Amino acid sequence: LLQVATPVHTYLFDVCKLGAAGFAPSAGGGGGLKELLESEGVQKVIYDLRNDVDALYFQFGVRLAGAVDMQILYGYTHQDNTDPYLKGLGKALE
C-alpha cells in the first residue's frame, strides 16, 4: 500500500493490485507513480524505507529519489550513541 498526500488530499494505491501498470506513463501523457517517486522535486517522507526501496526497484524498476527516512532522523535525535540498533515505528511512537 502506497500513500501519497498533498496539503488537501490523501491517496492510497494498492501497488500489488496495480502491478507494473501503476508505474507506467499514462495514455494521457502523465508520468505515473514512477515519475512521482523518482522526482527529486517531490519530497517523500518514509519511516524505515529500506524494504520499500528494495521492493520498488526490483518489482517495478523505480529508483526512489528525494526521500527522507524518519527512522534515521529518529535515531540521531532520540537514541543514545551506544545503542547501535535502529528502532521500529512502534518503539519510536512510545
Side-chain angles (χ1 to χ4, degrees), residues 5-89:
T6 70
V8 293
H9 293 96
T10 299
Y11 304 91
L12 297 175
F13 299 93
D14 184 341
V15 296
C16 292
K17 188 166 188 154
L18 290 172
F23 296 91
S26 69
L33 290 172
K34 182 175 180 168
E35 184 176 313
L36 175 77
L37 293 171
E38 291 182 340
S39 172
E40 287 281 352
V42 178
Q43 186 174 20
K44 278 71 81 183
V45 179
I46 304 172
Y47 195 92
D48 190 5
L49 57 70
R50 295 171 294 176
N51 289 333
D52 297 326
V53 168
D54 186 63
L56 285 169
Y57 178 73
F58 286 104
Q59 293 180 27
F60 306 112
V62 173
R63 294 179 184 268
L64 186 67
V68 175
D69 190 340
M70 297 303 293
Q71 184 180 41
I72 302 298
L73 294 176
Y74 176 84
Y76 280 131
T77 59
H78 292 85
Q79 281 184 240
D80 186 285
N81 289 339
T82 61
D83 184 357
Y85 302 104
L86 294 171
K87 303 300 180 218
L89 183 59

